[in-house]
Amino acid sequence: MIEPRLESAKPSEWTTVSKDDALMRKLLAAFFTHEYHLSPAFYKDYFLEDMAVGQKHRTKNMCCSSLLVNAVLAWACCCCENIPNRFKYWCPENLGYRFFAEAKRIWEMQMVTGENRNLTSIQAAMVMNIYLNLSGLDKLGDLYGVRGIEIAKEMRLFDGNADVASERLRHARNFTAWCVFSIDVQLSLLFFRPALLSSPPQFKLPGPAINPNCLDCLIYLWTVYLEYLRSSLSLALKGLREQGRNYYLARTVYYIVRNQIQPEDRGLLMGAEDRESADDESPGLFGEVHSSWVARSVDISENTATEELSYLAKQYLTLETDE
């Protein structure tokens, strides 16, 4: 990851857990490469810019805090291959455990003093929520998410922020509002619970037309997100191909998906295609599918006839036979 803002950042000024800036920059690079784009909770550029300014020069409206830095570093440990046994969130020797323990300590202290009514506390609450969800502790994670949304409502984060004089802070608030709303929707769908927010923010999603400074961030997010989708599809195809050697159903789904891949994405099949794959390509594969199984999630009110496996096989697999 090439990010000049990250290269000038000194995380050690924001945490007592480690003084190894090189290691923590590597953790942050892994986080922004692999995790941030999936559920962003804060504006990356402002976060890194203010981190570089340092704790000693911190002002009230900065987009970086010790709480947020420790929370992000805890999550970052999950996606860095250099951290051994990083899934063991319960081990005190685990670096992620120590970062989260420090974030939790700061959070609880701010809850007592009332110093948590600020933008970075909302952002940290959402990060801690997701970190605990990834650890299989979503019942605990929800406590942070609920409180984060409560603080956001108290600060009228979703009401437009038109009265905020600082353009930079207004952009940060608007971006965070949409991040919080997005995370709330994702979690409500994932855990089959009502969303805590009944409506989206009362302003448009920040973008290049509203804030030109968002352009680089959005381009970066979409570039990494698309690459993530491509990688996920590649892994899914390989899994289907392997299962296809045992089950006809999996083999059929594999060829349906394969025949929908655009020519420029054929590289995704590398490692999945082999000599045995070529031997499988016979008219029998295309003509012996009689299944009403719906291969994807659909709304109960939808007409599923065009999603049944038999229809998809006829739609996509016979095309290859005719060529």
Side-chain angles (χ1 to χ4, degrees):
M1 174 182 176
I2 301 175
E3 174 52 79
R5 299 178 185 87
L6 180 57
E7 294 173 3
S8 60
K10 293 184 177 180
S12 60
E13 295 187 13
W14 299 87
T15 180
T16 60
V17 174
S18 174
K19 296 300 180 184
D20 191 340
D21 281 320
L23 171 62
M24 289 186 284
R25 281 194 288 266
K26 189 169 186 176
L27 291 174
L28 291 172
F31 171 76
F32 287 121
T33 300
H34 301 295
E35 298 289 342
Y36 173 76
H37 56 284
L38 298 177
S39 298
F42 55 91
Y43 189 36
K44 173 181 71 74
D45 291 357
Y46 292 168
F47 172 74
L48 292 176
E49 287 171 4
D50 289 352
M51 183 186 292
V53 170
Q55 177 78 288
K56 295 180 181 179
H57 303 285
R58 186 175 187 274
T59 61
K60 180 181 178 181
N61 293 327
M62 287 186 73
C63 297
C64 184
S65 68
S66 292
L67 172 61
L68 181 57
V69 169
N70 280 282
V72 170
L73 285 170
W75 187 357
C77 288
C78 297
C79 52
C80 183
E81 294 181 350
N82 292 345
I83 304 296
N85 297 318
R86 53 191 177 276
F87 68 93
K88 294 183 178 180
Y89 67 87
W90 60 87
C91 289
E93 297 80 14
N94 189 306
L95 188 58
Y97 175 99
R98 301 206 298 270
F99 280 125
F100 188 80
E102 178 64 4
K104 182 181 178 183
R105 182 191 68 81
I106 297 172
W107 172 269
E108 292 174 349
M109 181 179 65
Q110 291 185 353
M111 287 283 286
V112 173
T113 61
E115 297 177 356
N116 62 343
R117 198 172 180 275
N118 55 65
L119 192 63
T120 55
S121 290
I122 297 170
Q123 296 165 342
M126 307 316 292
V127 171
M128 295 167 80
N129 188 173
I130 296 172
Y131 172 81
L132 289 171
N133 289 353
L134 294 172
S135 301
L137 301 172
D138 50 273
K139 291 184 179 180
L140 294 177
D142 280 347
L143 298 178
Y144 291 97
V146 169
R147 183 56 187 143
I149 290 177
E150 289 175 350
I151 297 172
K153 289 180 177 179
E154 292 170 5
M155 294 177 59
R156 303 181 66 84
L157 195 69
F158 308 104
D159 295 346
N161 301 305
D163 58 336
V164 178
S166 168
E167 183 180 40
R168 186 178 190 266
L169 179 59
R170 185 167 62 253
H171 291 158
R173 286 172 63 97
N174 288 347
F175 190 85
T176 302
W178 275 99
C179 287
V180 172
F181 174 74
S182 175
I183 292 172
D184 182 45
V185 171
Q186 290 179 44
L187 296 183
S188 68
L189 294 173
L190 184 61
F191 296 110
F192 294 92
R193 62 162 174 77
L196 299 175
L197 295 170
S198 58
S199 60
Q202 298 177 16
F203 46 87
K204 292 182 179 180
L205 177 67
I210 301 173
N211 175 16
N213 293 328
C214 286
L215 179 59
D216 291 341
C217 180
L218 292 175
I219 291 175
Y220 168 78
L221 286 177
W222 276 109
T223 300
V224 177
Y225 183 62
L226 290 175
E227 187 59 33
Y228 172 83
L229 291 179
R230 287 164 57 89
S231 300
S232 298
L233 178 57
S234 177
L235 290 173
L237 283 170
K238 291 177 181 178
L240 279 172
R241 186 67 205 97
E242 291 295 324
Q243 286 295 313
R245 296 195 173 105
N246 300 322
Y247 303 108
Y248 188 73
L249 183 71
R251 182 171 63 177
T252 302
V253 174
Y254 168 79
Y255 281 109
I256 289 174
V257 175
R258 192 196 69 167
N259 288 349
Q260 296 181 68
I261 294 177
Q262 299 298 320
E264 60 269 21
D265 291 328
R266 285 288 179 175
L268 294 172
L269 297 172
M270 293 183 63
E273 297 287 88
D274 53 24
R275 188 177 186 86
E276 188 174 348
S277 300
D279 294 337
D280 286 340
E281 296 190 37
S282 64
L285 175 68
F286 310 138
E288 298 176 4
V289 180
H290 303 283
S291 173
S292 59
W293 177 56
V294 178
R296 72 175 182 89
S297 299
V298 297
D299 189 278
I300 194 171
S301 63
E302 291 183 33
N303 178 9
T304 60
T306 58
E307 298 297 336
E308 292 181 358
L309 195 61
S310 294
Y311 178 89
L312 294 176
K314 184 182 296 184
Q315 185 75 12
Y316 293 103
L317 299 184
T318 53
L319 292 177
E320 186 166 316
T321 306
D322 295 337
E323 291 180 355

